[in-house]
Amino acid sequence: MTRQEYKDIYDIVGVAQEVHKTLGRGLSELIYQEAMALEMQDWGIMEYSLN
């Protein structure tokens, strides 16, 4: 695995931890998916537009 791939994985795990810390547990998967996408956009990991 390349150094960039390790960084990407590290960032994604960080986003997941932040979303879980903020939202907690027990919500539907769709809510977590949208929260992850928005948080990833905030971190500059990906672009995402809500339809």
Side-chain angles (χ1 to χ4, degrees), residues 2-4 7-8 10 12 18 20 23-24 27-29 31-32 35 37-38 42 46-49 51:
T2 68
R3 200 173 283 241
Q4 183 61 45
K7 182 192 176 313
D8 292 343
Y10 183 85
I12 291 168
E18 185 66 28
H20 178 71
L23 297 180
L27 301 174
S28 74
E29 185 176 344
I31 293 171
Y32 292 112
L38 291 171
D42 287 348
M46 67 175 264
E47 293 297 319
Y48 179 76
S49 62
N51 294 336

Side-chain angles (χ1 to χ4, degrees), residues 15 33 41 47:
V15 167
Q33 287 175 353
Q41 185 178 9
E47 293 297 319

Side-chain angles (χ1 to χ4, degrees), residues 10-26:
Y10 183 85
D11 288 346
I12 291 168
V13 169
V15 167
Q17 290 175 335
E18 185 66 28
V19 167
H20 178 71
K21 182 174 75 173
T22 301
L23 297 180
R25 59 186 178 97

